[in-house]
Amino acid sequence: MKRRDLLLGGLATLAGCNILPKVQEPTTLYTLTPKTTFPDGLPSVNWQLVVELPTAAAGIDSSRIALTHNPFTLEYYAKAAWTDQAPGMIQSLLIESFERTGKIVAVGPESAGLRPDYILKTDLREFQANYRNGDPIPTVLVRMTAKLVVMPQRRIVRAITSEKSVKAASPKFEDVLSAFDDAVGHVFREIVVYVLTTPPQPATTAG
């Protein structure tokens, strides 16, 4: 009992001196939306597609939401994060964007067990809110490259770089998120349309 009393007394003393750590304020998780609107006349394709996990630089390959004040530093919003690492979130949303077209036989990640006719390799180059020249209202920049690889030859048949900048409507974080969503939606639309309009590949002959 004496040992227990000593421990409780010690904890009370620490609490009174504000030495005990405070409970960390919770981080709010955010996500974006897939693209759901596409041009009329988008062709249907009879092939299967695997969308690989995008590659990204270490500063972007994170669940933290990136921002910059100059070209040389990368920072993050406090108490806010994506629901997944940014590449994983982008992969899921891009796959869902392909599905929303209703124009493709099957599309999924590497783990889906598909026997793909094509593999889409992407690189997330820019994915941050830029605060420049003291402007309190940021411009969100999203840039992705995408390479379509035909199987089983593993030959690149199409490549595209899509980039979109969207200035937030206000400094409010909700408006910054809307700018992220608009920029990502533009990039998804360009990539999906470009991939689905791939010309038919010539049949391979046995050697």
Side-chain angles (χ1 to χ4, degrees), residues 2 25 35 39 58-59 76 89 100 125 148 150 152:
K2 290 183 178 180
E25 293 189 40
K35 191 64 182 175
Y76 302 95
M89 181 179 69
R100 292 294 187 96
R125 299 285 180 86
L148 189 64
V150 65

Side-chain angles (χ1 to χ4, degrees), residues 47-204:
W47 36 262
Q48 300 186 55
L49 175 69
V50 159
V51 178
E52 290 189 349
L53 184 71
T55 58
I60 296 175
D61 190 3
S62 169
S63 62
R64 304 181 72 184
I65 302 174
L67 64 95
T68 66
H69 286 94
N70 60 65
F72 311 109
T73 61
L74 190 67
E75 302 170 65
Y76 302 95
Y77 288 98
K79 304 173 191 171
W82 301 120
T83 54
D84 193 358
Q85 301 286 105
M89 181 179 69
I90 291 296
Q91 180 192 33
S92 296
L93 293 172
L94 184 54
I95 289 170
E96 189 172 350
S97 297
F98 275 103
E99 292 173 337
R100 292 294 187 96
T101 67
K103 301 291 186 178
I104 189 167
V105 171
V107 56
E110 305 96 313
S111 60
L114 300 176
R115 299 186 63 179
D117 302 285
Y118 294 92
I119 293 175
L120 188 65
K121 296 178 176 290
T122 59
D123 186 5
L124 187 59
R125 299 285 180 86
E126 306 282 352
F127 191 59
Q128 73 276 338
N130 295 329
Y131 294 81
R132 299 292 166 83
N133 303 317
D135 191 345
I137 302 177
T139 296
V140 170
L141 175 60
V142 177
R143 183 165 77 242
M144 287 183 70
T145 64
K147 295 180 176 66
L148 189 64
V149 178
V150 65
M151 299 296 287
Q153 302 95 319
R154 296 191 175 273
R155 174 171 53 88
I156 296 173
V157 295
R158 301 208 94 183
I160 183 176
T161 297
S162 181
E163 178 178 321
K164 183 65 176 179
S165 296
V166 177
K167 189 173 180 66
S170 81
K172 295 179 180 178
F173 187 64
E174 292 79 3
D175 288 330
V176 177
L177 284 175
S178 293
F180 267 105
D181 203 53
D182 290 345
V184 162
H186 174 90
V187 169
F188 286 166
R189 179 186 172 99
E190 280 201 342
I191 291 175
V192 169
V193 170
Y194 191 74
V195 168
L196 292 183
T197 53
T198 298
Q201 299 302 300
T204 58

